Coordinates of all heavy atoms in Angstrom, one line a residue:
Chain A
M649 N 108.4 79.5 87.6 CA 107.5 80.3 86.9 C 107.9 80.4 85.4 O 107.1 80.3 84.4 CB 107.4 81.8 87.3 CG 106.5 81.9 88.5 SD 106.4 83.7 89.1 CE 108.0 84.0 89.4
G675 N 109.0 91.8 89.0 CA 109.7 90.6 88.7 C 110.0 90.4 87.3 O 111.0 89.8 86.9
E677 N 109.2 93.2 84.8 CA 108.8 94.5 84.5 C 109.1 95.0 83.0 O 110.2 94.8 82.6 CB 109.3 95.6 85.4 CG 109.1 95.3 86.9 CD 110.2 94.4 87.5 OE1 111.0 93.9 86.6 OE2 110.2 94.3 88.6
A682 N 116.5 103.7 80.7 CA 117.1 103.9 82.0 C 116.4 103.1 83.1 O 116.4 103.5 84.2 CB 116.9 105.5 82.4
G683 N 115.6 102.1 82.7 CA 115.0 101.2 83.7 C 113.8 101.7 84.3 O 113.3 101.2 85.3
I685 N 109.9 102.0 84.6 CA 108.8 101.0 84.2 C 107.9 101.6 83.2 O 107.4 102.8 83.2 CB 108.1 100.6 85.5 CG1 109.0 99.8 86.5 CG2 106.8 99.9 85.2 CD1 108.5 99.5 87.7
S835 N 79.6 100.1 119.1 CA 80.4 100.6 117.9 C 81.9 100.7 118.4 O 82.2 101.0 119.4 CB 79.8 102.0 117.5 OG 78.5 101.9 117.1
V837 N 85.3 102.7 116.6 CA 86.0 103.5 115.5 C 87.4 103.5 116.0 O 87.8 103.9 117.0 CB 85.3 104.9 115.4 CG1 85.9 105.7 114.4 CG2 83.8 104.8 115.2
N847 N 77.3 99.9 115.4 CA 76.0 99.8 116.0 C 75.5 98.4 116.2 O 74.5 98.1 115.5 CB 75.0 100.7 115.3 CG 73.8 101.1 116.1 OD1 73.7 100.6 117.3 ND2 72.9 101.9 115.6
R1050 N 79.0 95.2 110.6 CA 77.5 95.3 111.1 C 77.0 94.0 111.2 O 77.5 93.0 110.5 CB 76.7 96.2 110.0 CG 77.1 97.6 110.2 CD 76.0 98.4 109.2 NE 76.3 97.8 107.8 CZ 75.5 97.1 107.2 NH1 74.3 96.5 107.9 NH2 75.6 96.6 106.0
G1070 N 76.5 91.0 102.5 CA 75.7 92.2 102.9 C 74.3 92.4 102.5 O 73.7 93.4 102.7
E1075 N 65.8 90.2 101.4 CA 66.1 90.2 100.0 C 66.9 88.8 99.5 O 66.7 88.3 98.6 CB 67.1 91.4 99.7 CG 66.3 92.6 99.4 CD 67.4 93.8 99.3 OE1 68.4 93.6 98.6 OE2 67.1 94.8 99.9
Chain B
T1312 N 66.5 98.5 96.5 CA 67.1 98.7 97.8 C 68.3 97.9 98.0 O 68.9 97.7 99.0 CB 66.1 98.4 98.8 OG1 65.7 97.0 98.6 CG2 64.9 99.2 98.8
L1317 N 72.2 97.6 102.5 CA 73.4 97.3 103.3 C 73.4 98.0 104.6 O 74.1 97.7 105.4 CB 74.5 97.8 102.4 CG 74.8 96.9 101.1 CD1 76.0 97.5 100.4 CD2 74.8 95.5 101.5
G1322 N 71.9 101.9 112.8 CA 71.1 103.2 112.7 C 72.2 104.2 112.2 O 72.8 104.1 111.3
T1325 N 78.4 105.8 113.7 CA 79.2 106.3 114.8 C 80.4 106.9 114.2 O 81.0 106.2 113.4 CB 79.4 105.2 115.8 OG1 78.3 104.5 116.0 CG2 80.0 105.8 117.1
A1327 N 84.2 108.8 114.5 CA 85.5 108.9 115.3 C 85.5 110.1 116.1 O 84.9 111.0 115.6 CB 86.8 108.8 114.4
F1593 N 113.5 107.5 90.6 CA 113.9 106.1 90.4 C 113.4 105.1 91.5 O 112.9 104.0 91.2 CB 115.3 105.9 90.2 CG 115.8 106.1 88.8 CD1 115.8 107.3 88.3 CD2 116.1 105.1 88.1 CE1 116.2 107.5 86.9 CE2 116.5 105.1 86.7 CZ 116.5 106.5 86.2
K1596 N 109.5 104.9 90.3 CA 109.1 104.8 89.0 C 109.9 103.7 88.2 O 109.5 103.5 87.1 CB 109.2 106.1 88.1 CG 108.4 107.2 88.8 CD 107.0 107.2 88.1 CE 106.3 108.4 88.8 NZ 105.0 108.0 89.4
R1598 N 112.3 100.0 87.6 CA 112.4 98.6 88.0 C 113.2 98.4 89.3 O 112.8 97.6 90.2 CB 113.0 97.8 86.8 CG 113.3 96.4 87.2 CD 113.5 95.6 86.0 NE 114.6 96.1 85.1 CZ 115.0 95.7 83.9 NH1 114.2 94.8 83.4 NH2 116.1 96.1 83.4
R1602 N 111.6 96.8 92.7 CA 112.1 95.6 93.3 C 112.6 95.8 94.7 O 112.5 95.1 95.6 CB 113.1 94.9 92.5 CG 112.5 94.5 91.2 CD 113.6 93.7 90.3 NE 112.9 93.2 89.1 CZ 113.5 92.4 88.3 NH1 114.8 92.1 88.4 NH2 112.8 91.9 87.3
H1609 N 107.3 93.3 101.5 CA 106.8 91.9 101.6 C 107.8 91.0 100.9 O 107.7 90.6 99.8 CB 105.4 91.9 100.8 CG 104.7 90.6 101.1 ND1 105.3 89.5 101.6 CD2 103.5 90.3 101.1 CE1 104.3 88.5 101.7 NE2 103.2 89.0 101.4
D1614 N 110.2 87.2 96.7 CA 110.9 86.0 96.3 C 110.0 85.1 95.4 O 110.7 84.5 94.4 CB 111.1 85.3 97.7 CG 112.1 84.2 97.5 OD1 112.6 83.9 96.4 OD2 112.2 83.4 98.5
T1615 N 108.8 85.2 95.6 CA 107.9 84.2 94.8 C 107.8 84.8 93.4 O 107.3 84.1 92.4 CB 106.5 84.1 95.3 OG1 105.9 85.4 95.4 CG2 106.4 83.4 96.6
R1725 N 103.7 105.7 107.5 CA 103.7 104.3 107.4 C 105.2 103.9 106.8 O 105.5 104.1 105.8 CB 102.8 103.8 106.3 CG 102.1 102.6 106.6 CD 101.5 102.0 105.5 NE 102.5 101.8 104.4 CZ 103.1 100.6 104.3 NH1 102.7 99.6 105.1 NH2 104.0 100.5 103.5

Side-chain angles (χ1 to χ4, degrees):
Chain A
M649 278 183 306
E677 305 85 351
I685 291 173
S835 294
V837 180
N847 203 356
R1050 290 182 303 101
E1075 274 171 51
Chain B
T1312 57
L1317 293 183
T1325 313
F1593 275 73
K1596 302 266 182 239
R1598 172 165 59 190
R1602 293 185 173 187
H1609 192 340
D1614 194 3
T1615 56
R1725 220 197 60 91

